[in-house]
């Protein structure tokens, strides 16, 4: 099932890259803020290519980072998002930062992603990783990552753990606590 989803996602991303040149982020421009002109209100997206996103994976500031890769079209991802939101609320004063990395397709930003963020009142930092060269950046995130989502990285300074799985709150909290001691 995960392989089928990955294959469909790759095909859609390749197709989107060809048809939607305006959403492409070049390597020299590592951050682009997309202005909303749709029904999604005043939500602005931080959109990165891998080079811009890579900084989020390598911070050395004694903070624990929980980075979750997800998409609105991924049912297991959507199911676990409330657990990441709860973790963000429960641990924001304990030097923990939750970052939700959307892998939604560029043509869905205004129609799906922004309304989803608004309707679900996501309080965690949401960024978009828009880099179609998945074969290059997936192994840089973790050499064992197949590319399927949901996937999560928890790290603090040089200690890092990668999870290619869904979480419930108790499992997620247990993993984060290992980084707080």
């Amino acid at each position: 099932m995960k392989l089928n989803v990955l294959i469909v996602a790759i095909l859609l991303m390749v197709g989107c890259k060809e048809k939607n040149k305006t959403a492409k982020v070049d390597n020299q421009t590592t951050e682009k803020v997309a202005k909303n002109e749709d029904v999604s209100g005043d939500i602005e997206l931080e959109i990165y290519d891998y080079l811009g996103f890579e900084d989020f994976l390598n911070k050395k500031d004694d903070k624990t980072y929980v980075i979750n890769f997800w998409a609105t079209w991924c049912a297991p991802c959507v199911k676990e998002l409330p657990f990441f939101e709860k973790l963000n609320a429960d641990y924001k004063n304990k030097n923990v930062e939750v970052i939700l990395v959307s892998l939604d397709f560029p043509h869905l930003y205004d129609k799906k992603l922004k309304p989803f963020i608004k309707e679900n009142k996501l309080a965690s930092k949401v960024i978009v990783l828009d880099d179609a060269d998945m074969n290059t950046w997936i192994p840089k995130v973790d050499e064992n990552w197949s590319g399927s989502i949901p996937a999560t990285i928890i790290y603090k300074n040089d200690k890092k753990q990668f999870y290619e799985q869904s979480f419930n709150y108790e499992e997620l909290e247990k993993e984060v606590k290992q980084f707080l001691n």
Side-chain angles (χ1 to χ4, degrees):
M1 171 88 176
K2 286 183 181 181
L3 182 59
N4 290 342
V5 171
L6 178 61
I7 291 170
V8 169
I10 291 170
L11 292 174
L12 288 173
M13 288 181 96
V14 171
C16 292
K17 182 180 177 191
E18 296 298 319
K19 294 176 187 170
N20 192 354
K21 298 288 185 186
T22 60
K24 183 180 180 197
V25 179
D26 66 23
N27 289 340
Q28 305 232 325
T29 307
T30 59
E31 179 180 353
K32 174 177 91 176
V33 177
K35 303 272 188 227
N36 177 28
E37 297 149 359
D38 201 46
V39 296
S40 50
D42 58 352
I43 294 175
E44 294 182 355
L45 297 176
E46 291 182 44
I47 303 172
Y48 298 88
D49 62 0
Y50 182 76
L51 290 176
F53 168 72
E54 196 169 31
D55 291 339
F56 289 99
L57 297 174
N58 299 304
K59 296 185 180 202
K60 308 242 190 287
D61 57 9
D62 290 326
K63 186 182 279 191
T64 299
Y65 290 91
V66 180
I67 301 176
N68 178 251
F69 295 88
W70 69 288
T72 58
W73 46 263
C74 168
C77 301
V78 171
K79 182 179 178 182
E80 73 175 2
L81 276 180
F83 308 132
F84 286 90
E85 284 293 281
K86 180 171 174 34
L87 185 82
N88 183 55
D90 292 350
Y91 285 84
K92 66 182 172 186
N93 295 326
K94 297 178 181 170
N95 215 20
V96 174
E97 184 174 351
V98 175
I99 302 172
L100 303 174
V101 181
S102 170
L103 299 178
D104 279 281
F105 307 116
H107 72 279
L108 296 177
Y109 294 167
D110 289 333
K111 294 176 184 173
K112 292 270 192 173
L113 181 58
K114 290 178 184 181
F116 183 91
I117 293 168
K118 187 173 183 176
E119 289 167 17
N120 291 282
K121 298 179 176 104
L122 297 182
S124 301
K125 181 176 186 69
V126 177
I127 64 173
V128 177
L129 178 54
D130 180 22
D131 193 327
D133 192 8
M134 296 183 321
N135 289 331
T136 300
W137 64 259
I138 285 174
K140 289 179 183 176
V141 171
D142 188 87
E143 63 185 21
N144 297 312
W145 187 16
S146 73
S148 61
I149 54 175
T152 303
I153 294 173
I154 303 174
Y155 80 93
K156 180 178 181 180
N157 297 324
D158 291 324
K159 181 181 178 185
K160 185 179 285 190
Q161 184 65 45
F162 178 77
Y163 309 86
E164 190 169 7
Q165 67 181 60
S166 294
F167 283 102
N168 63 36
Y169 183 75
E170 292 75 23
E171 294 166 339
L172 183 58
E173 184 180 43
K174 178 183 173 191
E175 296 302 323
V176 168
K177 283 182 176 180
Q178 294 180 37
F179 287 81
L180 298 179
N181 297 330

